[in-house]
Amino acid sequence: MNHSHQHIYDVCKDHMHAYVLIELVDGSSIDGIITGLDHESVYLAVPLEAHEQHHSHMQQGENPHHRQFGYGYPGYGGPGYGYGGYGFPPYRFRRLILPLTALAALSILPWY
């Protein structure tokens, strides 16, 4: 691992679980939360835009009660309960994996 690669790795490691702005060597930039790191890649949770959240919710399935491990508990979420069911809420983040060699700079962003 060369010096600049090690420096980017160390900066990412120091800011694990922080909301950051990453500038890439091609000039583009991405904001997200660093969720993981290895010696080759950085793993980000990138916030979805409002229109992407709606689209991802529709891709989860047309049945809002659907869950990965079944269809919820029978009797809950029915008439009179005032809630449509116990399905997962719409996605708010997508996962993005970037090679460390593509990173040019990293800045910390405020959470508000």
Side-chain angles (χ1 to χ4, degrees), residues 1 3 23-24 26 44-45 47 50 54 62 72 83 87 100 112:
M1 192 181 296
H3 179 68
E23 295 178 35
L24 303 176
D26 69 357
L44 298 170
H54 176 70
E62 283 70 38
Y83 179 63
L100 288 175
Y112 56 95

Side-chain angles (χ1 to χ4, degrees), residues 2 13 18-19 29 32 34 36 38 53-54 58 63-65 67-68 78 83 85 94 98 100 108 110:
N2 65 25
K13 185 176 179 181
Y19 187 47
S29 59
I34 298 177
D38 59 33
Q53 288 181 16
H54 176 70
M58 296 305 291
N63 184 353
H65 305 289
R67 300 185 113 184
Q68 182 178 357
Y83 179 63
R94 65 181 164 90
L98 295 171
L100 288 175
I108 303 299

